[in-house]
Amino acid sequence: MTIKRIKITLIIFLTCYVMPAQEASTTASELLIGATLNYDELNTKKEELFLKDFQYLTPANAAKQTRIHPQPGVWNWEYIDDFIEFAEANDLVVRLHGPISPQASKWAKEDHRTPEELEKNLEEFVTAFTMKFNQVPNVKWMDVVNETVEADGSWFGPKPGTDEWENPWLKIGKDENGFPLYILKAFEIATKNAPNIKLVYNQHKGMEPQVWDKIKKNVLYLREKGYRVDGIGWQAHLMMGARREDFVDNIDQSMQRLGDLIDWAHENDLGFHVTELDYLVEDTSKIEEEREIQKMVYERIVEVLLEKSGNGEVTLNLWDVATRNKKGKGQFQSIYDSNFKPTPAYCIIKKALAKE
């Protein structure tokens, strides 16, 4: 090992050092921290790293419709059943990322189905999904809908062609007050069939006020209709859905907005979930510099979450535990690099875990 590598290792150790339990503060945080695993990461180094630090699991894509109900008349529960078995064996709590969302099924990328056919498919999937998992003790939350609003505050709907991220469900229509019927229907079914699971409305992008104002109105409208909404989720894909200028140049403003959003959630008896935290680096020649920025942004986000966790439910989910490549360009950064060595951001998560 070179002297430089020894110094880096020592710095990481000293920065991440946490007092033993008997010396630590007696004030525990209510912030629950977890991470995702993909199916092919079970029984691998990533599973080992996950189990070392976390007790909160989100199966990354195994609960999505594209895996469970890939085409009409076809069902495949194998992957998510294996995850549930894994969670039970390791005493993990689970959030099912299995919503009605843009990632519907392979055949929905360029969708020619009628509104009636789409509604039938939605009802079949949500009904089967909620009835299956309602009696599973380890499943605490499920995302009911996901990615419903664009950055400009408009409803996220179908896009042309087969290469765009698409949400076909808006074609089902809107009610007399302009709210998408697919969102109403999904929460109606989940409310009926999943009384034991907390229902989450998950959303992408950053802290744009027009996005969250629309989500707030929709959540309150769902409740007026008699449907249960137990929490809101923010995907937190930094430097992709959440813009760089908002989380580097104007981070103070974004952290204020994040804190205000969590306050609104708690005031309305809603949990708040950061559901998909990672950090995109497009220019990998600047990886070390970018990882220090990532650490700074993670630290600011965790500070807000810790502060608000005493007022109501707050969770944080890392999207993957290690670096992964982005199709086309760049890398998504997490708390370990591609060689499974801790990145600077690991220190922030480790310190927060010590306060649980």
Side-chain angles (χ1 to χ4, degrees), residues 39 50 60 182 233 235 250 309 314 336:
Y39 187 76
F50 175 92
Y182 82 92
Q235 282 193 10
N250 299 310
S309 66
V314 180
Y336 293 94

Side-chain angles (χ1 to χ4, degrees), residues 281-288 290 325 329-331 333:
V281 175
E282 293 187 334
D283 185 355
T284 54
S285 68
K286 300 179 179 179
I287 196 70
E288 297 303 326
E290 286 295 321
N325 292 325
K329 183 179 181 182
Q331 292 180 338
Q333 304 298 312

Side-chain angles (χ1 to χ4, degrees), residues 109-124:
K109 284 281 188 161
E110 188 173 16
D111 207 309
H112 302 291
R113 287 173 295 172
T114 66
E116 293 75 19
E117 289 170 330
L118 282 167
E119 184 172 6
K120 179 182 178 182
N121 174 259
L122 182 152
E123 291 177 352
E124 289 176 347

Side-chain angles (χ1 to χ4, degrees), residues 61-71 74-77 80 96-101 103-105 107 113 117-133 142-145 169 186 189-190 193:
N61 293 306
K64 288 185 176 179
Q65 184 177 339
T66 190
R67 172 62 60 188
I68 293 172
H69 190 31
Q71 56 184 301
V74 175
W75 296 84
N76 180 10
W77 301 96
I80 190 59
L96 291 174
H97 186 51
I100 294 298
S101 72
Q103 196 171 18
S105 280
W107 38 263
R113 287 173 295 172
E117 289 170 330
L118 282 167
E119 184 172 6
K120 179 182 178 182
N121 174 259
L122 182 152
E123 291 177 352
E124 289 176 347
F125 177 65
V126 180
T127 299
F129 191 92
T130 51
M131 292 183 70
K132 178 179 176 66
F133 294 110
M142 66 168 284
D143 297 337
V144 180
V145 295
W169 309 109
I189 297 170
N193 293 327

